[in-house]
């Protein structure tokens, strides 16, 4: 295999807008689909759909155990299922998946709708506000607390610690990230202690489901290791919070620029699920997750050495013109919309995809029902890696009642 030549094919600029990032990816897909950058500690970016999908599925060559985002975040512990490859990852997913099935998640819809209304209506009534900071950064935390059956004290703590962790990640503030991670670990330990003392049904409670798992070790059936259960609970305490926040910000921003679509969806709520799916493709909130090759490899002819971080750029794959014609255009009737990679692919395919979809749909339905139009009235701020999309969208809400 030829010796790889590391070149700086692109830069990650601080404060990049979504449009700037997507313009870079469009250029790379044409010119240099497997691209290296020295930015953020140095990494390879896969930008074409076929490469991203193939590598995401090939977990025996591309491990997630070294780092799963770029830039590499401070290591505060191993957190399944994201930080393990199969077969080690499998029992964690087996415990969580039934609690996140389409049927089980559908039962949460009335709760989600009530929470969404409680958080959204005061904002719309006030007339202006940041839809991310004041709405979509909040309601998923409450939904999550309900799904995890957190008591009121832990729920209140999560309302502080979850968004604080996200702010630290957005600011690349390693010290704050470690501090908030410690708080989240303490919360994980507390909820596990509560469930050990008073178990809930494994069919209705994620922590009880993890505690009930038995795996084979030296011919014996044993529970999952305590530190791994703590890591899993710590992982799920935040994993489902950021993406819905960014998604709602992106959808609102799009509607503010496309009032005809706002009217169309408001008049035809049956179109909302298809709209959410196309928004997920167009505004994939996780730019990409990382993997590390365990041996020297070639991706589309480009040599990558063992140990070099590789970003699976889901946000670029979803705008690959070879798969989605006119990729920057919102279309409600794409025949192959299910090929989008907003929830990833392979063994780490998002465990919470049904919940993420439902939260996005209910938020969009309620936003459409309560407004006639949305107008941007301040500065929009954009997430750095590993997310993509806005984390601040100040809006004027033209109320449906006005
Ligand atoms: C619109 C919302 C969401 C999007 C776009 C999204 C996206 C993703 C993506 C792309 C991955 C794959 C990571 C990788 O390739 O390494 C992932 C993993 C994961 N997501 Fe989501 N997510 C969303 C909401 C949620 C929610 C609400 C939950 C709640 C439980 C959740 C739980 C998880 C978990 C546990 C994993 C790790 C799966 C594993 O490693 O096996 N997600 N998500």
């Amino acid at each position: 295999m030829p010796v790889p030549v590391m070149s700086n094919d692109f830069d990650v600029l601080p404060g990049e807008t979504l449009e700037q990032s997507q313009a870079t990816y469009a250029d790379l897909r044409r010119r240099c689909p497997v691209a290296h950058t020295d930015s953020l500690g140095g990494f390879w970016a896969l930008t074409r759909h076929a490469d991203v999908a193939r590598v995401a599925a090939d977990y025996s060559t591309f491990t997630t155990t070294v780092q799963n985002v770029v830039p590499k975040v401070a290591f505060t512990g191993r957190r399944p299922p994201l930080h393990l490859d199969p077969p080690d990852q499998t029992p964690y997913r087996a415990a969580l998946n039934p609690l996140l099935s389409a049927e089980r998640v559908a039962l949460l819809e009335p709760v989600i709708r009530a929470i969404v209304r409680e958080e959204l209506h005061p904002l719309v009534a006030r007339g202006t506000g940041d839809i991310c900071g004041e709405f979509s950064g909040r309601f998923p935390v409450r939904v999550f607390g309900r799904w995890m059956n957190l008591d009121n004290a832990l729920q209140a703590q999560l309302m502080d610690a979850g968004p604080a962790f996200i702010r630290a990640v957005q600011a690349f503030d390693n010290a704050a990230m470690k501090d908030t991670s410690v708080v989240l670990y303490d919360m994980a330990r507390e909820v596990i202690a509560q469930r050990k003392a008073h178990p809930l049904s494994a069919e209705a409670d994620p922590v009880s489901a993890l505690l009930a798992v038995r795996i084979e070790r030296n011919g014996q059936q044993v529970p999952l290791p305590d530190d791994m259960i703590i890591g899993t609970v710590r992982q799920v305490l935040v994993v489902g919070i950021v993406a819905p926040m960014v998604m709602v910000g992106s959808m609102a921003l799009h509607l503010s620029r496309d009032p005809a679509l706002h009217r169309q969806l408001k008049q035809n709520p049956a179109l909302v699920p298809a709209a959410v799916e196309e928004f997920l493709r167009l505004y994939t909130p996780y730019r990409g997750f990382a993997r590390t090759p365990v041996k020297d490899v070639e991706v589309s002819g480009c040599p990558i050495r063992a140990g070099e971080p590789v970003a699976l750029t889901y946000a670029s794959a979803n705008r690959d013109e070879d798969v989605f014609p006119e990729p920057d255009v919102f279309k409600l009737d794409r025949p192959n919309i299910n090929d989008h990679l907003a929830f990833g692919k392979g063994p780490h395919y998002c465990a919470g995809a049904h919940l993420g979809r439902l939260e996005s749909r209910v938020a969009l339905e309620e936003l459409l029902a309560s407004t006639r139009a949305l107008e941007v009235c301040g500065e929009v701020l954009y997430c750095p890696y590993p997310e993509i999309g806005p984390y601040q969208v100040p809006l004027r809400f033209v109320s449906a009642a006005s």
Side-chain angles (χ1 to χ4, degrees), residues 148-170:
M148 294 276 290
N149 303 306
L150 298 185
D151 65 21
N152 288 344
L154 281 169
Q155 171 76 47
Q157 219 181 340
L158 188 61
M159 281 306 283
D160 286 336
F165 181 76
I166 291 161
R167 280 195 300 277
V169 174
Q170 302 290 352

Side-chain angles (χ1 to χ4, degrees), residues 69-341:
V69 286
V70 286
K72 190 171 181 174
V73 292
F75 183 78
T76 51
R78 194 164 295 293
R79 294 188 283 277
L82 211 46
H83 294 180
L84 295 178
D85 300 318
D88 297 340
Q89 173 231 23
T90 312
Y92 300 89
R93 287 297 297 255
L96 293 174
N97 285 355
L99 286 144
L100 289 163
S101 69
E103 297 72 29
R104 183 148 283 281
V105 161
L107 299 176
L108 280 176
E109 180 163 344
V111 173
I112 297 177
R113 198 170 294 281
I115 292 174
V116 162
R117 286 182 179 164
E118 271 175 40
E119 296 287 341
L120 182 64
H121 287 179
L123 190 60
V124 173
R126 214 171 68 217
T128 55
D130 169 16
I131 193 158
C132 293
E134 295 174 76
F135 170 60
S136 61
R138 291 177 52 84
F139 87 81
V141 188
R142 290 182 58 188
V143 170
F144 212 71
R146 286 295 291 266
W147 178 70
M148 294 276 290
N149 303 306
L150 298 185
D151 65 21
N152 288 344
L154 281 169
Q155 171 76 47
Q157 219 181 340
L158 188 61
M159 281 306 283
D160 286 336
F165 181 76
I166 291 161
R167 280 195 300 277
V169 174
Q170 302 290 352
F172 293 138
D173 183 341
N174 267 347
M177 224 184 300
K178 275 191 176 162
D179 288 349
T180 37
S181 197
V182 167
V183 175
L184 290 163
Y185 267 111
D186 287 345
M187 292 180 64
R189 284 188 197 95
E190 168 66 22
V191 67
I192 290 166
Q194 288 182 4
R195 295 297 180 273
K196 279 185 172 170
H198 305 286
L200 297 176
S201 155
E203 282 169 20
D205 181 63
V207 177
S208 306
L210 286 162
L211 289 169
V213 172
R214 293 293 175 270
I215 50 170
E216 201 185 300
R217 281 284 177 275
N218 306 324
Q220 292 200 321
Q221 294 293 309
V222 296
L224 294 169
D226 260 2
D227 60 330
M228 289 287 128
I229 297 185
I230 293 168
T232 309
V233 176
R234 154 67 184 79
Q235 178 74 267
V236 296
L237 277 176
V238 287
V239 75
I241 295 174
V242 187
M245 175 190 83
V246 178
M247 264 309 290
V248 172
S250 286
M251 293 193 295
L253 196 52
H254 185 107
L255 293 177
S256 75
R257 294 167 178 163
D258 190 350
L261 180 64
H262 192 295
R263 281 192 298 277
Q264 186 191 8
L265 296 177
K266 189 174 170 67
Q267 281 160 13
N268 303 284
L271 296 176
V272 169
V276 166
E277 221 49 44
E278 175 65 346
F279 279 134
L280 279 162
R281 182 196 68 80
L282 199 54
Y283 301 116
T284 305
Y286 284 126
R287 191 183 298 251
F289 283 79
R291 301 287 187 269
T292 308
V294 294
K295 58 182 183 195
D296 292 356
V297 288
E298 265 191 27
V299 179
S300 284
C302 176
I304 299 179
R305 282 202 200 98
E308 291 172 354
V310 176
L312 314 179
T313 315
Y314 297 132
S316 172
N318 282 344
R319 295 216 191 184
D320 186 336
E321 31 291 277
D322 287 348
V323 180
F324 302 109
E326 295 186 277
D328 299 331
V329 178
F330 177 94
K331 292 186 184 186
L332 269 174
D333 54 358
R334 291 189 181 271
N336 62 341
I337 185 62
N338 291 332
D339 292 338
H340 78 68
L341 300 176

